[in-house]
Amino acid sequence: MRHLVVGTAGHIDHGKSALVEALTGVHPDRLAEERRRGITIELGFADLPLPPDGVVGFVDVPGHERFVRHMVAGASGFDAAMLVIAADDGVKPQTREHLAILSLLGLAHGFVVLSKSDLVEADLLDLVTLEARELLAGTFLENAPVVPASARTGAGLNDVREALRALLVSVPPRAASGVPRLAIDRSFAMRGFGTVVTGTLASGALHVGDEVEILPSGARARVRGLQVHKHPVEVAGGGRVAVNLQGLAVRQAPRGATLTAPGALRPTRRARVRVSWLPGTPDPARRGPVRLHHGTSEGDARVRLLRDEPGIAEVRLSAPAVLVPGDRFVLRRPEPLDTIGGGIVLDAHPPRKKVAGGTRPAEETDLVGARVRRAGLAGIAASAVATETGRTSDEIEAEARHLADRGVIVRAAGKLFDAASWEDAGRAVEAELARRHSEEPLRAGIPREAVRKAAVPTMGLEAFRALLETLVLRGAVRLAADRVAAAGHEVVLDPKDAARCDALEGAFRRAGLDPPDAASTARELGGAQGARFLDLLVDRGRLVRIVDGRLFHAEALESLRGRVRAYAGTSSTMDVATFKDLAGVTRRNAIPLLEQLDAERVTRRVGNVREIVARDVTP
Ligand SMILES: Nc1nc2c(ncn2[C@@H]2O[C@H](COP(=O)(O)OP(=O)(O)O)[C@@H](O)[C@H]2O)c(=O)[nH]1
Ligand SMILES: [Mg+2]
């Protein structure tokens, strides 16, 4: 069944609470003090079933100027508004202020009641209707019905009900998709049940049994029970919701806090916003300290207008708030107390500095793309984009796929990268390789980590590996072990150097598993460039540096592996003495060679023996 949250609005004593009572039979003033003084202080709640179309849940707000903040807290959860203007009193300050607040909060639906119609003659009613129309011109209520009614005589109440019914069938339901978000407007302990919080579910859905998080505190709890407009449900996807929380004290879930899914959102103290001021707001008030009302929370804030971007500002909050792009807020000044403006959140986690290259951070239309651009070569996980933008990881993943298909972003190593930055990174790697190759023409390959640090230091190891793989696929680079080289790079030796290099290799080949001391052999056979030739032989895979740092000829090691694998036909394990005989090496060489085979996962050490892991398939 359709549930619609309709909030009252209007000046004090204009008959809002009386109208709600006349319609629902429930007096919305809950507090003893409210009844004694005859004024509404807190939000009141009452339901009006309108079968077969659904239920209207009224949120009755106080009209007194001192309690406007309670009105703002309630208004953030309205689906539609019922603006009440007393026919015998006309438009008054809080009529205007409430209408301004509803407009700033982006409300789009509602109607007007000219209340206490029993107190005026027809011609006066016409006059007030004119006054109301003038007030509504240019607002979201411009074309809304204006309905005269009397809570006292009941005149016009049917018209009010029909206006409500029209809203019930026409106002689009809130998105049950996305991150569940409920701004808590009441929290209390219920005997035998524990903590109950209420509010309007702005997006997403809640299920009985869900784990939830209260922000900004981060306290966790479990949903024990749910009610929508006072009816127990298993799943709530909009409307006024009461949530019974298990494992949480009332004070841990106060009004103003946000109930959401664990880890789905991140509180912030800074936001980039589009701000609009109510007419007549003086400049100092715009700059001065303000109260920022958002959802059911409020706090001190400062607004810094950005000189080169009209209408855009950065707000700094004195305490963390749960803001999400697209959220509306209201700004009030403390002295004299008044609503001065409001706006819409563009980016709840803006960068500290302007991004080099002048790309604007997070425009409303391109939240994912902008965040990915900003992340640069560090990349950003879809889950991080989700918590900063208030959307689910699934939604971000879907958009990322879409952007990747269009070639705007690149998905690699579990992160999202800006395609242009990714291309730049590839070019930086190629440029670095070209530079290193020309500096050290005798080196067949450059250690990957050295290339990463020089070319793309902000890129993570895994992303860099992925980048190299794309460059390999493009035929731009070649990989060998932990080295990388430009695809076109060849080490060209003159005949004399080639002979020296061959001699050096020959010495290691002949020595087999008892290799000579590398440094002195290199000097002896390779001359001044000897060390370079050794590197070259390693790069070319002719020599292999084993775990203890010594160099062996690759063929000697390969034949050793073959012998070990073949031995697996005799026994699956092998002790050091057996290995010594098998390899024909001294004990001094046996231990490091075994450790090398362990590292290569040819063997595995189990106590004092080796298990042969990599066995010949055919004996
Ligand atoms: N004559 C008349 N008095 C009304 C009507 N509605 C409310 N009142 C009176 O107006 C006063 C203020 O009403 P209330 O509902 O508390 O106003 P609120 O501050 O807007 O909630 C009360 O004394 C009501 O009895 C009405 O339709 N006709
Ligand atoms: Mg009232």
Side-chain angles (χ1 to χ4, degrees):
M1 209 199 316
R2 182 87 172 85
H3 297 285
L4 194 75
V5 180
V6 176
T8 61
H11 200 70
I12 185 166
D13 268 349
H14 275 201
K16 297 180 293 298
S17 299
L19 194 58
V20 169
E21 185 178 14
L23 290 164
T24 65
V26 176
H27 199 289
D29 288 346
R30 294 172 288 124
L31 308 178
E33 185 193 356
E34 291 179 317
R35 289 170 174 276
R36 197 175 59 246
R37 291 169 59 189
I39 75 162
T40 307
I41 298 170
E42 266 296 350
L43 300 172
F45 307 95
D47 285 347
L48 171 63
L50 287 174
D53 298 307
V55 180
V56 166
F58 280 110
V59 178
D60 184 42
V61 306
H64 195 288
E65 60 176 327
R66 271 187 47 219
F67 306 124
V68 171
R69 60 198 193 89
H70 294 170
M71 181 272 170
V72 184
S76 68
F78 294 177
D79 295 316
M82 180 169 79
L83 179 65
V84 177
I85 305 172
D88 65 333
D89 206 19
V91 172
K92 283 283 176 279
Q94 268 67 54
T95 318
R96 292 180 192 285
E97 187 173 14
H98 284 194
L99 180 62
I101 287 167
L102 296 173
S103 302
L104 289 167
L105 290 176
L107 213 68
H109 310 278
F111 68 106
V112 180
V113 176
L114 297 183
S115 60
K116 308 192 188 183
S117 64
D118 59 291
L119 292 182
V120 298
E121 302 295 328
D123 50 348
L124 191 55
L125 201 59
D126 289 346
L127 216 63
V128 186
T129 309
L130 277 179
E131 195 190 13
R133 281 284 169 218
E134 205 175 309
L135 172 75
L136 304 178
T139 74
F140 72 100
L141 292 176
E142 177 154 29
N143 299 310
V146 175
V147 184
S150 166
R152 180 145 309 166
T153 66
L157 288 186
N158 270 334
D159 299 334
V160 174
R161 269 189 282 270
E162 285 321 302
L164 289 164
R165 193 186 292 281
L167 289 174
L168 202 48
V169 296
S170 68
V171 175
R174 289 175 186 249
S177 63
V179 171
R181 203 147 71 101
L182 181 144
I184 296 173
D185 56 29
R186 261 196 314 165
S187 92
F188 49 90
M190 224 166 95
R191 247 209 150 94
F193 288 93
T195 299
V196 175
V197 301
T198 66
T200 306
L201 198 52
S203 67
L206 289 172
H207 304 76
V208 172
D210 278 354
E211 196 189 355
V212 293
E213 184 172 55
I214 308 296
L215 291 177
S217 76
R220 300 275 173 102
R222 198 163 290 282
V223 176
R224 180 193 277 167
L226 284 170
Q227 288 192 358
V228 173
H229 294 264
K230 301 207 177 73
H231 293 283
V233 292
E234 284 293 310
V235 186
R240 276 204 56 78
V241 182
V243 189
N244 182 197
L245 293 171
Q246 192 167 19
L248 204 69
V250 170
R251 63 181 160 70
Q252 289 177 289
R255 167 188 287 189
T258 294
L259 182 150
T260 184
L265 299 170
R266 199 149 62 82
T268 182
R269 297 176 78 136
R270 234 155 41 85
R272 188 178 145 80
V273 303
R274 187 179 302 286
V275 66
S276 53
W277 304 102
L278 294 183
T281 302
D283 258 11
R286 301 180 185 198
R287 281 194 303 272
V290 294
R291 296 288 287 174
L292 185 142
H293 299 254
H294 165 263
T296 54
S297 78
E298 56 171 297
D300 291 321
R302 288 204 166 257
V303 180
R304 193 167 64 87
L305 298 169
L306 301 182
R307 197 166 304 159
D308 50 347
E309 293 176 275
I312 306 295
E314 183 176 293
V315 292
R316 283 166 186 277
L317 309 161
S318 62
V322 186
L323 303 178
V324 156
D327 277 0
R328 303 288 187 139
F329 59 88
V330 168
L331 298 173
R332 306 192 78 221
R333 69 171 166 197
E335 256 334 305
L337 193 61
D338 202 1
T339 300
I340 55 173
I344 183 163
V345 175
L346 300 179
D347 188 344
H349 298 272
R352 298 225 161 259
K353 290 181 291 201
K354 254 194 208 166
V355 178
T359 50
R360 280 278 154 245
E363 296 305 331
E364 306 105 285
T365 49
D366 183 22
L367 286 172
V368 178
R371 286 207 136 60
V372 171
R373 270 198 296 290
R374 195 201 296 168
L377 294 183
I380 184 166
S383 59
V385 178
T387 55
E388 291 187 359
T389 56
R391 294 200 280 158
T392 66
S393 290
D394 286 350
E395 287 168 351
I396 302 296
E397 285 288 357
E399 181 155 350
R401 269 197 299 280
H402 175 65
L403 290 173
D405 288 346
R406 282 171 40 211
V408 179
I409 65 169
V410 169
R411 291 147 61 85
K415 287 188 171 177
L416 310 176
F417 295 85
D418 175 45
S421 308
W422 186 262
E423 291 302 318
D424 287 347
R427 277 191 287 278
V429 168
E430 291 184 55
E432 175 63 12
L433 286 175
R435 191 180 71 74
R436 296 290 294 262
H437 289 329
S438 82
E439 252 174 31
E440 302 171 87
L442 285 186
R443 293 193 82 171
I446 315 296
R448 293 181 190 196
E449 187 50 15
V451 175
R452 189 188 67 85
K453 281 206 176 112
V456 287
T458 54
M459 185 176 263
L461 293 180
E462 280 187 36
F464 182 60
R465 204 173 301 144
L467 177 66
L468 289 182
E469 273 158 26
T470 45
L471 293 175
V472 168
L473 287 176
R474 266 185 221 169
V477 308
R478 236 177 325 120
L479 302 179
D482 64 337
R483 312 272 168 129
V484 51
H489 176 63
E490 288 297 341
V491 176
V492 182
L493 299 176
D494 63 30
K496 232 195 241 158
D497 282 347
R500 287 191 180 113
C501 204
D502 284 348
L504 199 50
E505 188 193 341
F508 279 89
R509 184 186 285 114
R510 281 191 302 280
L513 291 175
D514 191 18
D517 174 64
S520 58
T521 313
R523 259 196 310 280
E524 206 177 293
L525 299 174
Q529 297 271 51
R532 283 269 162 266
F533 294 147
L534 280 182
D535 281 343
L536 179 60
L537 288 167
V538 170
D539 287 344
R540 286 179 169 173
R542 307 307 301 152
L543 299 185
V544 174
R545 197 177 297 283
I546 73 158
V547 286
D548 69 348
R550 282 187 302 154
L551 290 170
F552 284 72
H553 198 275
E555 285 164 12
L557 289 177
E558 188 46 36
S559 110
L560 175 63
R561 287 181 207 113
R563 267 173 281 161
V564 170
R565 286 196 198 101
Y567 182 75
T570 309
S571 165
S572 63
T573 59
M574 182 174 63
D575 60 14
V576 176
T578 313
F579 177 74
K580 253 177 62 189
D581 292 345
L582 193 71
V585 294
T586 62
R587 189 173 179 88
R588 188 180 75 91
N589 278 342
I591 301 298
L593 280 169
L594 267 174
E595 280 167 5
Q596 174 68 17
L597 293 180
D598 289 345
E600 293 176 5
R601 304 204 200 297
V602 173
T603 54
R604 182 171 54 214
R605 183 171 182 165
V606 183
N608 277 333
V609 298
R610 251 66 179 195
E611 191 184 323
I612 303 168
V613 182
R615 297 168 198 184
D616 272 351
V617 186
T618 50

